[in-house]
Amino acid sequence: MLKNAYHPQGEALLWEQFLEHLERTLRVTNLHPATVEYLSHPKRVVGVPVPVTMDDGTVRFFMGYRVIHDISLGPSKGGVRFHPSVSLGGTLGLAALMTLKSAVYGLPYGGAAGGVVVDPKSVSRREIERLSRRYTAELVSLIGPDEDILGPDLGTDARVMAWIMDTFSMNKGQTVPGVVTGKPPSLGGSASRVDSAGRGLVYVLQEMARKHGMPIKGARVAVQGFGQVGKAVAQAASAEGLKVIAVSTSRGGVYHREGLDMKALEAYHGREGHFLGFPWATEITNAELLSLDVDYLVPAALENVLTKENVSSVRAKMVLEGANGATAPEAEDALLSRGVVVVPDIVANGGGLVVSYLEWVQDLAMFFFEESEVQARLKDSVTRALEATLAKSQGLNTSLRMGAYALALERVNLAARLRGVYP
Ligand code: NAD
């Protein structure tokens, strides 16, 4: 029997959760009914089957998506995910989170997201290159630095961004670096893009720790996922004097109660791609990592890892969402009722978007900033977004997530009302 390639019934949880949060936000702030309609009807939903000639000469089809959620604040911006769990519903949800994140950070972007249903570990590098290029070619008339700007996400990296940029440029007949962010610096990428989401999260952690009188030096942190976000969180946290006591990949994690040696972790992960057999720590499962007795827990892999089923085992005092949608709404309610601080994705991991914005600005101007300038702007943006979120949450006497949603949605509402409805 032929497989249903479109995954219409695939994971729609993230989109449904966005709608649930939108409804909850309407209880604490006023949005124009037309804005609510805009936000619950994504602007553009594209499905592209991506044919790829495999190394053995056979042709395989991979299903790809690109969703633009909203463009009230500017051209849309969003990551490209290569993962077996990619679905239309999940992509809708990620695109909506990007609309909110841009607005919380005061950036001139709408929200988008895309992805391809593929396990990058099960195909060769040449196959991933052909897949990345064909996916881009299918979208060429819909993306661009003034329309829709792509970036890295789960399963994609600077190498993939370089292929996307090159394919788009070849089709346009000119080099267009601004169509993607997260490129290698030699192709117009920004200094510090790779670790910006993780570094930004650790700035948020430090600010939140100060406000709650929690420790920083010597405090224990566990990080799920050791990719672009998780690895940078672990590195920045360790550089700031926190004890990173556990890290993991999809294959499991490692734990040491006195803190893991970051250099040894990086070297081992660089060589093996996972932590199985890492000699200087105890192996743990991802479920065990989430329930460690820590000050700070940073889920930085997949969405919905903290659920109503496992939330009672969480012992962290603060959860900072490195991954988008890491905490299911019921799990967040349970954590908040126990006094656990939850810093939502659209605030906690926005550093990646800030440096993407700086990269895009540099590409448009063909004028590049020094790393110190990028770092200073990143810290400043993170601090401002966090302060604005805290002020909004306190003003409305609500959670940080609801405060961030209210802040973002009021900004989108204002822009949408000023633009009006075309024609
Ligand atoms: P990545 O592909 O670089 O790394 C993902 C990591 O998670 C890997 O270490 C992988 O082994 C691990 N992982 C995968 N499945 C897992 C599982 N089932 N259990 C435990 N670990 C698992 O991805 P990334 O870019 O770091 O993205 C991670 C999350 O952060 C995603 O939610 C993404 O949307 C979000 N995010 C990414 C960026 C960015 O710039 N890359 C920015 C903001 C938010």
Side-chain angles (χ1 to χ4, degrees):
M1 189 172 149
L2 287 174
K3 228 170 63 195
N4 178 356
Y6 274 86
H7 292 238
Q9 76 287 25
E11 188 66 81
L13 207 51
L14 263 189
W15 174 244
E16 282 160 17
Q17 286 169 352
F18 162 72
L19 293 176
E20 184 177 338
H21 286 312
L22 176 58
E23 264 190 60
R24 288 185 185 199
T25 314
L26 292 174
R27 291 181 212 144
V28 294
T29 192
N30 286 322
L31 301 180
H32 193 280
T35 306
V36 178
E37 288 297 314
Y38 267 113
L39 291 167
S40 40
H41 293 86
K43 175 171 170 52
R44 182 193 287 153
V45 179
V46 179
V48 284
V50 182
V52 177
T53 305
M54 307 303 282
D55 292 344
D56 65 4
T58 58
V59 176
R60 257 179 79 186
F61 274 73
F62 298 87
M63 196 55 218
Y65 301 102
R66 185 76 190 165
V67 170
I68 295 180
H69 174 246
D70 185 78
I71 56 158
S72 301
L73 288 168
S76 53
K77 173 89 189 77
V80 179
R81 180 173 283 203
F82 288 175
H83 196 266
S85 71
V86 166
S87 70
L88 183 53
T91 310
L92 286 167
L94 288 170
L97 287 178
M98 289 302 290
T99 301
L100 299 167
K101 203 180 299 181
S102 302
V104 165
Y105 273 79
L107 299 173
Y109 287 138
V116 179
V117 187
V118 59
D119 178 0
K121 283 186 245 136
S122 72
V123 293
S124 74
R125 197 174 163 76
R126 300 296 298 167
E127 289 164 342
I128 279 289
E129 176 176 353
R130 289 194 284 272
L131 181 146
S132 307
R133 288 185 180 280
R134 182 60 190 257
Y135 172 72
T136 309
E138 293 293 334
L139 296 174
V140 108
S141 59
L142 303 174
I143 60 177
D146 301 321
E147 290 88 29
D148 182 20
I149 304 131
L150 285 59
D153 194 72
L154 198 69
T156 57
D157 56 12
R159 195 72 199 85
V160 172
M161 296 307 117
W163 290 324
I164 293 177
M165 185 278 249
D166 182 67
T167 304
F168 185 81
S169 299
M170 288 301 110
N171 277 270
K172 293 289 175 189
Q174 62 191 68
T175 297
V176 191
V179 66
V180 286
T181 60
K183 302 175 292 296
S186 51
L187 293 180
S190 181
S192 299
R193 172 61 187 83
V194 174
D195 62 3
S196 52
R199 213 181 259 256
L201 187 142
V202 174
Y203 289 143
V204 173
L205 184 156
Q206 290 171 301
E207 271 311 301
M208 290 299 291
R210 282 185 206 107
K211 292 191 191 302
H212 286 266
M214 285 175 65
I216 298 176
K217 299 266 180 246
R220 288 150 306 153
V221 54
V223 185
Q224 183 188 48
F226 204 71
Q228 290 155 101
V229 179
K231 182 174 162 186
V233 168
Q235 287 169 330
S238 159
E240 294 297 334
L242 287 99
K243 272 191 209 164
V244 178
I245 65 161
V247 295
S248 72
T249 71
S250 55
R251 300 186 53 188
V254 282
Y255 162 79
H256 193 297
R257 61 193 290 272
E258 292 310 322
L260 296 156
D261 177 345
M262 201 49 55
K263 289 260 168 315
L265 277 182
E266 286 167 33
Y268 194 86
H269 183 265
R271 223 172 32 245
E272 307 290 335
H274 56 76
F275 296 113
L276 301 183
F278 181 72
W280 302 284
T282 311
E283 282 183 17
I284 53 170
T285 63
N286 269 293
E288 286 166 339
L289 182 145
L290 297 176
S291 60
L292 287 172
D293 183 10
V294 287
D295 298 292
Y296 308 101
L297 173 63
V298 183
L302 297 176
E303 53 267 23
N304 284 303
V305 288
L306 300 180
T307 61
K308 64 175 186 300
E309 285 77 28
N310 68 6
V311 68
S312 60
S313 69
V314 174
R315 286 188 284 163
K317 297 179 186 63
M318 188 182 292
V319 173
L320 299 109
E321 290 186 322
N324 290 313
T327 315
E330 306 88 339
E332 179 169 19
D333 293 344
L335 290 169
L336 296 178
S337 71
R338 279 168 28 204
V340 179
V341 180
V342 180
V343 186
D345 43 15
I346 56 175
V347 179
N349 71 29
L353 184 59
V354 171
V355 177
S356 284
Y357 164 69
L358 295 176
E359 177 172 340
W360 177 72
V361 167
Q362 292 170 84
D363 289 343
L364 294 184
M366 284 294 181
F367 176 82
F368 292 88
F369 307 149
E370 293 298 326
E371 173 149 20
S372 55
E373 184 165 0
V374 174
Q375 286 301 335
R377 285 179 182 272
L378 169 63
K379 191 167 188 181
D380 182 54
S381 293
V382 168
T383 310
R384 271 187 290 125
L386 180 62
E387 290 301 334
T389 301
L390 286 164
K392 184 57 89 179
S393 328
Q394 279 153 15
L396 295 174
N397 191 23
T398 185
S399 68
L400 277 178
R401 192 183 309 273
M402 283 301 95
Y405 265 65
L407 177 69
L409 292 172
E410 285 168 14
R411 288 175 174 174
V412 172
N413 185 52
L414 178 63
R417 296 314 299 150
L418 287 169
R419 288 180 74 150
V421 181
Y422 176 84

